[in-house]
Amino acid sequence: MRVSRRTLLALLGGAGASAAVGVPLLAGLSGSTSTGALLPSLMPLPQPFTLPFRVPPVLAPTRRDAAGDHYEIVQRAATAEILPGVLTPIWGYNGIFPGPTIVSTRGRPTTVTHRNELPVPVVVHLHGGHTPAAHDGFPADLLHPAGTPAGPHDHRHAATPAYGTRTYRYPVRQPAATLWYHDHRMDFTGPAVWRGLAGFHLVRDPAEDRLGLPAGDRDLPVMIADRAFAADGSLRYPSLDPALLHTPGVTGPYGAGVLGDVLLVNGVPWPLAEVPAVRHRLRLLNASNARRYRLSLDPAPRGGPALTQIGTDGGLLTEPIAHDAVELAPGQRCDVVVDFARYGPGREVTLRNEFGDRSTAAVMRFRVGGAAPDPSRIPDRLAPDPVVAPGPAATVRTLRFRHDTVRGMPGWTVNGAPFDPAHSIADPLLGDTEVWRLVSDFHHPVHLHLGHFRVLSRGIGGPGPYDHGPRDTIDLRPAEQATIAVSFTDYPGRYVLHCHNLEHEDMAMMSVFTTRAAGR
């Protein structure tokens, strides 16, 4: 790997500040590492590939009517047997991790009423959702615990504070896609998600159903999340305030990001999935706080690349793309099809993380069974591109993501400013497509609420091999500039963009943008 003098000087210029938060200076320039520090587990870990793969349960609606499908979820403390024979305290949607999967149909509204029985306020964000501002999960729109009296709480920046319960309304006016929902409370997203507040929300579409892609029990959600365990089996996380009530942030070097040494798939450490020798759709989600993954199959099948990518954050690609491996930054999704018929019966195939080592080098394993009827196919054309190309007069904005000092302590900023819920960094018009230039110092997976975007370039080149399709999160690499085209439609109001390294987000790397109708 060759490093330019300009890149080296730019990184060394931030050496003192980065050392304070444990950021590796030159690691990752090739795109092969994560920004963060390893938090090791303090108890013996299970042998990989001894526990069965499981799919999170699909939540049944409490009712269906002309207004749509209605769901209820209780956020509460519970225990889960994540490691064999060990009960681990978690915070869970309906008391489980991952939370139950919600399945919506395009064009049919979904409402989800959350009841908060946790000891702290919460916020729910439908990640990837095309959602009105009041229901998007703005970080200051707190849902206080049940039994909390309305009174002297800080609502200076909340549009709609709530107590006990809140109903989120999703119009589902968007194509089929792999979405997920998670906590988004200002300053405390990282520890809340680490404790278990995350789940799938899948959008179906009759147009996608007609394509003939693998479906039913051959359509597998795969939530990958790294964690660390304390000696008593609890989840280990370096919060400055373990109660998550007053002081945000993490200790020591972990402000760069918290990396665990246990890889969980749908809440199971290194599981084993029994699969027939047919095509399967894997809905890969990186739900880790800071860890990046490069996923491949070992052994690779004969006859060409192992993974056929069909979808990304915002839905289907226009056409399939073959890969030997795919890369996922925190928050990103990638839908791939794997044809296990290319392996012999009884063959064991490992999903590997080429960015990991030791316990983080393998994710899960598949054991291939016998042949079975397979009516699925992968068509040459999948879906139209939903992102409009920018015109010659498109508004151009530059956003810089970098390590900085925030209120006298190490933190992360956008354009030199920490998160301020009352200040809007941009005010795009609905119906417009803008060009945004994103500039980084270290790894920053930049996530945009409301709008999906198209990656136009990286540096002086075009999009990278994993940049195709409608995105809501881009893996911005160290000392890199990327350009995206983003369209805003339908909903006026206040939204956020932020780094989806959750420790960076909690330490102020987030900004508000406000969409507005023309003439207002």
Side-chain angles (χ1 to χ4, degrees):
M1 180 186 68
R2 298 180 65 185
V3 180
S4 72
R5 181 176 181 274
R6 177 177 296 178
T7 296
L8 181 63
L9 291 176
L11 289 174
L12 293 180
S18 62
V21 293
V23 180
L25 285 178
L26 296 180
L29 288 181
S30 64
S32 61
T33 65
S34 305
T35 296
L38 181 67
L39 183 68
S41 294
L42 301 179
M43 67 176 306
L45 301 176
Q47 287 294 315
F49 322 130
T50 57
L51 299 173
F53 173 83
R54 66 168 183 250
V55 174
V58 174
L59 186 64
T62 54
R63 73 179 193 279
R64 301 179 189 269
D65 56 28
D69 300 332
H70 305 265
Y71 297 86
E72 294 180 359
I73 290 177
V74 178
Q75 301 187 34
R76 60 184 177 87
T79 57
E81 188 176 334
I82 300 174
L83 305 179
V86 178
L87 292 181
T88 296
I90 65 165
W91 289 356
Y93 295 114
N94 283 355
I96 60 175
F97 169 63
T101 298
I102 297 174
V103 180
S104 296
T105 300
R106 183 179 188 178
R108 183 166 175 80
T110 294
T111 64
V112 186
T113 298
H114 283 262
R115 177 176 174 83
N116 181 13
E117 295 184 357
L118 292 168
V120 301
V122 296
V123 175
V124 181
H125 170 53
L126 177 57
H127 184 125
H130 189 62
T131 305
H135 304 276
D136 183 64
F138 189 81
D141 285 350
L142 303 179
L143 169 58
H144 294 278
T148 301
H153 304 288
D154 185 0
H155 300 315
R156 290 172 296 171
H157 305 299
T160 51
Y163 299 85
T165 63
R166 183 195 292 278
T167 296
Y168 294 86
R169 294 179 172 85
Y170 306 123
V172 198
R173 295 169 55 182
Q174 61 186 103
T178 301
L179 311 182
W180 63 303
Y181 63 103
H182 60 81
D183 191 74
H184 208 261
R185 175 187 168 204
M186 186 168 73
D187 299 336
F188 292 97
T189 295
V193 172
W194 190 273
R195 293 188 187 194
L197 293 178
F200 280 101
H201 189 137
L202 308 181
V203 177
R204 305 288 190 187
D205 185 340
E208 183 188 68
D209 295 340
R210 290 191 291 269
L211 295 175
L213 298 167
D217 60 2
R218 299 170 185 178
D219 182 351
L220 303 179
V222 179
M223 177 188 288
I224 306 172
D226 60 335
R227 296 291 186 267
F229 291 83
D232 62 358
S234 62
L235 289 167
R236 191 178 181 212
Y237 187 85
S239 293
L240 290 173
D241 177 6
L244 309 189
L245 286 170
H246 305 294
T247 305
V250 289
T251 62
Y254 298 106
V258 181
L259 309 175
D261 59 357
V262 179
L263 297 191
L264 305 178
V265 175
N266 297 343
V268 179
W270 306 289
L272 172 66
E274 305 278 356
V275 294
V278 298
R279 280 182 287 268
H280 283 69
R281 177 178 184 168
L282 307 183
R283 297 177 182 262
L284 303 171
L285 160 63
N286 182 351
S288 298
N289 282 31
R291 184 178 292 279
R292 299 169 63 250
Y293 298 90
R294 179 176 170 86
L295 303 174
S296 62
L297 292 180
D298 180 21
R302 295 179 180 178
L307 307 174
T308 301
Q309 184 184 3
I310 59 170
T312 185
D313 300 339
L316 293 175
L317 302 176
T318 57
E319 57 189 31
I321 301 175
H323 297 288
D324 292 313
V326 294
E327 295 181 13
L328 286 177
Q332 290 186 318
R333 286 86 70 210
C334 181
D335 284 20
V336 299
V337 174
V338 176
D339 187 357
F340 288 107
R342 298 168 68 186
Y343 296 95
R347 193 69 181 270
E348 293 190 340
V349 183
T350 302
L351 182 65
R352 294 211 171 272
N353 171 28
E354 296 179 12
F355 287 171
D357 60 3
R358 295 184 293 276
S359 65
T360 63
V363 179
M364 65 176 293
R365 179 168 288 175
F366 301 91
R367 181 180 292 143
V368 182
D374 187 2
S376 72
R377 66 191 188 98
I378 305 174
D380 293 333
R381 300 293 297 177
L382 295 169
D385 187 345
V387 181
V388 178
T395 298
V396 178
R397 306 181 192 273
T398 299
L399 303 173
R400 301 181 184 278
F401 298 81
R402 63 184 296 265
H403 179 262
D404 215 325
T405 299
V406 177
R407 292 181 287 274
M409 299 184 65
W412 304 89
T413 60
V414 181
N415 284 358
F419 180 51
D420 180 353
H423 174 69
S424 184
I425 199 171
D427 301 288
L429 289 176
L430 293 176
D432 277 5
T433 297
E434 298 191 349
V435 175
W436 289 11
R437 294 172 177 159
L438 312 176
V439 184
S440 68
D441 53 0
F442 301 108
H443 282 294
H444 296 298
V446 177
H447 172 50
L448 183 68
H449 288 216
L450 178 64
H452 288 96
F453 56 79
R454 175 192 300 165
V455 180
L456 300 177
S457 66
R458 287 182 180 270
I460 60 173
Y466 314 109
D467 287 334
H468 299 284
R471 307 306 308 245
D472 60 48
T473 306
I474 179 173
D475 185 11
L476 202 60
R477 297 176 176 87
E480 182 175 56
Q481 175 177 300
T483 304
I484 63 174
V486 56
S487 300
F488 300 97
T489 60
D490 294 331
Y491 306 121
R494 185 174 58 161
Y495 295 88
V496 293
L497 62 98
H498 59 86
C499 180
H500 218 280
N501 177 318
L502 298 185
E503 284 69 49
H504 295 190
E505 175 186 337
D506 286 346
M507 297 171 67
M509 187 169 267
M510 181 157 53
S511 292
V512 174
F513 68 92
T514 305
T515 55
R516 55 192 176 92
R520 298 186 61 183

